[in-house]
Amino acid sequence: MAQGNTVNRRIVLNSRPAGAPTAENFRLETGAVPVPSTGQVLMRTLYLSLDPYMRGRMSEAPSYAEPVAVGDVMVGGTIARVEASRHQDYQAGDLVVGYGGWQDYALANGTNLTRLDTRMPHPSLALGALGMPGFTAYMGLLDIGQPRAGETVVVAAASGAVGSVVGQIARLKGCRVVGIAGGEDKCRFVVDELGFDACIDRRSTGLSQQLATACPKGIDVYFENVGGAVFDAVLPLLNVSARVPLCGLIAHYNDTDLPPGPDRLGLLTRTLLTRRIKMQGFIIFDDYGPRYGEFLSQMSTWLKVGKVKFREDLVDGLENAPQAFIGLLDGRNFGKLIIRVGND
Amino acid sequence: MAQGNTVNRRIVLNSRPAGAPTAENFRLETGAVPVPSTGQVLMRTLYLSLDPYMRGRMSEAPSYAEPVAVGDVMVGGTIARVEASRHQDYQAGDLVVGYGGWQDYALANGTNLTRLDTRMPHPSLALGALGMPGFTAYMGLLDIGQPRAGETVVVAAASGAVGSVVGQIARLKGCRVVGIAGGEDKCRFVVDELGFDACIDRRSTGLSQQLATACPKGIDVYFENVGGAVFDAVLPLLNVSARVPLCGLIAHYNDTDLPPGPDRLGLLTRTLLTRRIKMQGFIIFDDYGPRYGEFLSQMSTWLKVGKVKFREDLVDGLENAPQAFIGLLDGRNFGKLIIRVGND
């Protein structure tokens, strides 16, 4: 069933996952297209962004945002066409970026809604290189990571929406950049297309040894969005005064219990102490919202002149969002995962 | 045997400790007083500073400084009188602060040697409030911790050389300050003499619950110099955007193996991520050396007008340094531990 103009398809949280999400945790419902009240806008979804942070919203455990309630529509950033408006700042026909969630139609009251910037070469980029992932890469690397020419920067999930941008900016700053990605094809893309100095397949054997070989002068900046075995390989290689911006831990999102010992919490803090390392978590719009304009100008230029490349993994059809999201947590996407929900 | 003028007593590392140091790890030797060559200064030690970091130098494991070799004199900061000088910048009779180590006499070549600042009310303060511990407290709290009025600051080892200064500066900045110290007498001192808002005895039962009660609005800055059970109690209380300057982990210095599981490394990184926390290790002179003058001016003023108080735990006699140091790692000192090696 494709997008129509009388029925609203929506994917709701059917149940909370224990560990990795399954298809049963989602439910496709249909209902009437909602009608905007005074001050509201009706949006028709064109593109839906799928991002690892959504796994956190499916659980009740405290995180940096409220969980989605069972039975509620899954949250998500969207590019949408305004179908009807009773909000003074928007008109029918406007192209907007907002948080419509996993559904064909959504109402917005103007909060967290912006008209698509005219610098956007094509709309879906507002969910990727010029949206949350690109902004995360830019501020995390430059403001927290503070890379200097000649330093070694390591990026996990290197072919992904955030990692691919981190590595390319680090190259622009004159760093040696080593990526870690899942599979040979992704590694080849990272080196041949994105220009990283090296890329290691996290599925191959001897990750620690391969990383040590690729980083003969140690690691000065590790952009952390993965955790797990990748962080374990990185930790012994971190240099004195290293910086570790921390924006995600996808390897842990499906964890149900703490792993068995020994307890390495003290090992981590001792490493931070003896090597004078800064490790800092951040949530991009909460921490850096006012700097979005600066980012947009710079990144638009880099994209236009080809200094930053960005790969999208476009999946057609809202009904395919659950499987695509399950695959994302397993590393099966190749580039920024976006669902094409409707045609423009 | 007291300090004489023909014999040099020195305490050397006799063997490397496994776990907590014992008296057998140290050896008192005697030898001739050394004679300065061209460019050297002969110093007679008046005061020797004993600090937790010295435990790290007794082990071979990589840390932020080279280990002391077995058979070598234990390292340490000292206040000394110049007895003879063949260095153009120093004269016999000068009072200096340097790194003479655990011995009566030491040679220096001018590196890491400074004439005692005339702002020093009494010489031993150059090893405490106006030396490495005070400087550590000042920069760690103000530069990394960035406390704002009304925030809650928690300090462990609150009656100690670093913690006592951290808490008093945080009070001057308008924060609610909660200390943690070992024993009722130390807690009383921290509240009654130093002016902290509260202090919790880490040896009492229910540390986590007591800390939660003392921090009803959570913790914005945790100045970490302890680790272990104190950090475990702090971690769940850290607020969004908390800062954790990390200058020591005394609870772990005698560890021989990693503790049993579960492995909480991922729990720590998830906490840093979801609450957007900055945790940063630092080594004071390596990271902030050029700002010592700024610190000295400010802290001298605070001491002079009584806004910062500083307690010293003076122990007489070089021969008592090993037992005093062993007690320091066990929290038996009360205030900044200093050995009076010789009379002036």
Side-chain angles (χ1 to χ4, degrees):
Chain A
M1 186 173 82
Q3 191 175 54
N5 54 17
T6 57
V7 172
N8 183 32
R9 301 172 306 162
R10 56 189 190 182
I11 293 173
V12 304
L13 182 64
N14 189 47
S15 58
R16 299 205 183 279
T22 64
E24 288 67 43
N25 298 130
F26 302 94
R27 188 173 73 238
L28 178 63
E29 292 182 344
T30 56
V33 174
V35 177
S37 308
T38 307
Q40 286 186 326
V41 163
L42 175 66
M43 307 184 289
R44 181 171 64 86
T45 308
L46 304 179
Y47 297 102
L48 164 65
S49 179
L50 293 186
D51 302 280
Y53 77 85
M54 295 167 171
R55 175 63 186 82
R57 306 292 181 91
M58 298 178 76
S59 293
E60 275 185 313
S63 184
Y64 41 79
E66 286 295 300
V68 173
V70 172
D72 273 6
V73 176
M74 284 290 297
V75 294
T78 51
I79 304 296
R81 188 65 74 180
V82 173
E83 294 286 302
S85 177
R86 297 187 62 189
H87 188 293
Q88 59 181 11
D89 297 342
Y90 297 91
Q91 296 187 315
D94 284 351
L95 202 57
V96 294
V97 53
Y99 287 88
W102 299 25
Q103 56 186 340
D104 285 322
Y105 292 92
L107 295 174
N109 62 10
T111 310
N112 288 327
L113 188 71
T114 48
R115 205 171 281 104
L116 210 66
D117 194 278
T118 53
R119 283 166 286 188
M120 213 61 66
H122 56 104
S124 61
L125 273 181
L127 301 176
L130 296 172
M132 184 269 285
F135 191 26
T136 297
Y138 180 91
M139 294 306 320
L141 178 69
L142 297 181
D143 193 67
I144 300 176
Q146 308 245 344
R148 291 181 284 265
E151 288 191 325
T152 300
V153 174
V154 170
V155 195
S159 68
V162 177
S164 64
V165 177
V166 168
Q168 291 176 89
I169 299 176
R171 285 285 301 149
L172 291 173
K173 298 296 175 186
C175 299
R176 172 175 175 78
V177 179
V178 177
I180 300 168
E184 284 182 23
D185 52 346
K186 289 182 180 174
C187 284
R188 205 174 305 118
F189 167 76
V190 163
V191 172
D192 294 347
E193 298 295 318
L194 303 184
F196 286 34
D197 296 284
C199 189
I200 296 163
D201 183 354
R202 70 174 161 83
R203 296 174 187 161
S204 64
T205 53
L207 174 61
S208 294
Q209 183 51 52
Q210 287 190 63
L211 189 61
T213 303
C215 303
K217 295 197 284 184
I219 299 172
D220 300 296
V221 179
Y222 172 56
F223 193 101
E224 173 65 300
N225 52 2
V226 168
V230 174
F231 186 68
D232 296 347
V234 164
L235 189 59
L237 299 175
L238 289 172
N239 286 333
V240 165
S241 299
R243 288 81 68 199
V244 183
L246 171 58
C247 79
L249 289 165
I250 193 168
H252 297 283
Y253 291 167
N254 290 332
D255 288 355
T256 49
D257 293 307
L258 294 177
D263 184 5
R264 297 178 304 151
L265 185 148
L267 173 70
L268 174 55
T269 54
R270 275 202 301 286
T271 304
L272 298 183
L273 170 62
T274 56
R275 296 192 217 146
R276 301 143 52 191
I277 293 166
K278 176 174 74 171
M279 189 163 188
Q280 184 170 352
F282 69 105
I283 307 295
I284 186 63
F285 283 105
D286 293 352
D287 287 323
Y288 293 105
R291 295 182 66 179
Y292 181 72
E294 163 201 332
F295 152 76
L296 190 59
S297 294
Q298 177 64 78
M299 186 61 72
S300 299
T301 303
W302 281 337
L303 285 167
K304 192 183 297 176
V305 300
K307 288 197 171 174
V308 170
K309 296 175 183 172
F310 194 74
R311 178 177 174 130
E312 294 182 343
D313 187 341
L314 266 180
V315 173
D316 272 306
L318 178 66
E319 65 277 14
N320 295 317
Q323 280 306 331
F325 179 68
I326 291 166
L328 172 71
L329 294 178
D330 203 31
R332 273 179 270 146
N333 60 305
F334 191 167
K336 172 70 187 98
L337 183 59
I338 290 174
I339 304 292
R340 184 161 26 209
V341 178
N343 292 317
D344 201 16
Chain B
M1 186 171 82
Q3 192 175 52
N5 54 17
T6 57
V7 172
N8 182 33
R9 300 172 306 162
R10 56 190 189 179
I11 294 174
V12 302
L13 182 63
N14 189 46
S15 58
R16 299 205 183 279
T22 64
E24 289 67 43
N25 299 130
F26 304 92
R27 186 173 75 237
L28 178 63
E29 293 183 343
T30 55
V33 174
V35 176
S37 309
T38 306
Q40 286 187 323
V41 163
L42 174 66
M43 307 184 289
R44 183 170 63 86
T45 309
L46 303 179
Y47 297 101
L48 165 66
S49 179
L50 293 185
D51 301 279
Y53 77 84
M54 294 168 173
R55 175 63 186 82
R57 307 291 182 91
M58 298 179 76
S59 293
E60 274 184 314
S63 183
Y64 41 78
E66 286 295 300
V68 173
V70 172
D72 274 6
V73 176
M74 285 290 296
V75 295
T78 51
I79 304 296
R81 187 65 73 180
V82 173
E83 293 287 302
S85 176
R86 296 186 63 189
H87 188 293
Q88 60 181 10
D89 296 342
Y90 298 91
Q91 296 188 313
D94 282 351
L95 203 55
V96 293
V97 53
Y99 287 88
W102 298 27
Q103 57 187 341
D104 286 321
Y105 292 92
L107 295 174
N109 62 9
T111 310
N112 287 327
L113 188 70
T114 48
R115 204 171 279 102
L116 210 67
D117 194 279
T118 53
R119 282 166 287 188
M120 213 60 67
H122 57 101
S124 61
L125 273 180
L127 301 176
L130 296 173
M132 183 269 285
F135 191 27
T136 298
Y138 180 91
M139 294 306 320
L141 179 68
L142 297 180
D143 192 69
I144 300 176
Q146 307 245 345
R148 293 182 284 266
E151 288 191 325
T152 299
V153 174
V154 170
V155 195
S159 68
V162 176
S164 64
V165 176
V166 169
Q168 292 176 86
I169 299 176
R171 285 286 301 149
L172 291 173
K173 298 294 175 186
C175 298
R176 172 174 175 79
V177 179
V178 177
I180 299 167
E184 283 183 23
D185 50 347
K186 290 181 180 175
C187 284
R188 204 175 305 118
F189 167 76
V190 162
V191 172
D192 293 348
E193 298 295 320
L194 304 183
F196 285 33
D197 296 284
C199 189
I200 296 163
D201 183 355
R202 70 174 160 85
R203 296 174 187 161
S204 64
T205 53
L207 173 61
S208 294
Q209 183 51 53
Q210 288 190 63
L211 188 62
T213 304
C215 302
K217 295 197 284 185
I219 299 172
D220 300 295
V221 179
Y222 172 55
F223 192 101
E224 171 67 300
N225 52 1
V226 169
V230 173
F231 186 69
D232 296 347
V234 164
L235 189 59
L237 299 174
L238 290 172
N239 286 333
V240 165
S241 299
R243 287 82 66 198
V244 183
L246 170 58
C247 79
L249 289 166
I250 193 168
H252 296 284
Y253 290 167
N254 290 332
D255 287 355
T256 49
D257 293 305
L258 295 176
D263 183 6
R264 298 178 303 151
L265 186 149
L267 173 69
L268 175 55
T269 54
R270 277 202 299 287
T271 304
L272 298 183
L273 170 63
T274 57
R275 296 191 215 145
R276 302 145 51 193
I277 293 166
K278 175 174 75 173
M279 189 162 189
Q280 183 170 349
F282 69 106
I283 308 295
I284 187 61
F285 283 105
D286 292 351
D287 287 324
Y288 293 105
R291 295 182 65 179
Y292 180 72
E294 163 201 332
F295 152 76
L296 189 60
S297 293
Q298 177 63 78
M299 185 62 71
S300 299
T301 304
W302 281 338
L303 284 168
K304 192 184 296 176
V305 301
K307 288 197 170 174
V308 170
K309 296 175 184 173
F310 194 75
R311 178 177 174 131
E312 294 181 345
D313 188 339
L314 266 179
V315 173
D316 272 305
L318 178 65
E319 65 278 14
N320 294 316
Q323 280 305 330
F325 179 68
I326 290 165
L328 172 70
L329 295 177
D330 203 33
R332 275 179 268 147
N333 60 306
F334 191 167
K336 172 70 188 97
L337 183 59
I338 290 173
I339 303 291
R340 183 159 28 207
V341 178
N343 292 315
D344 201 17

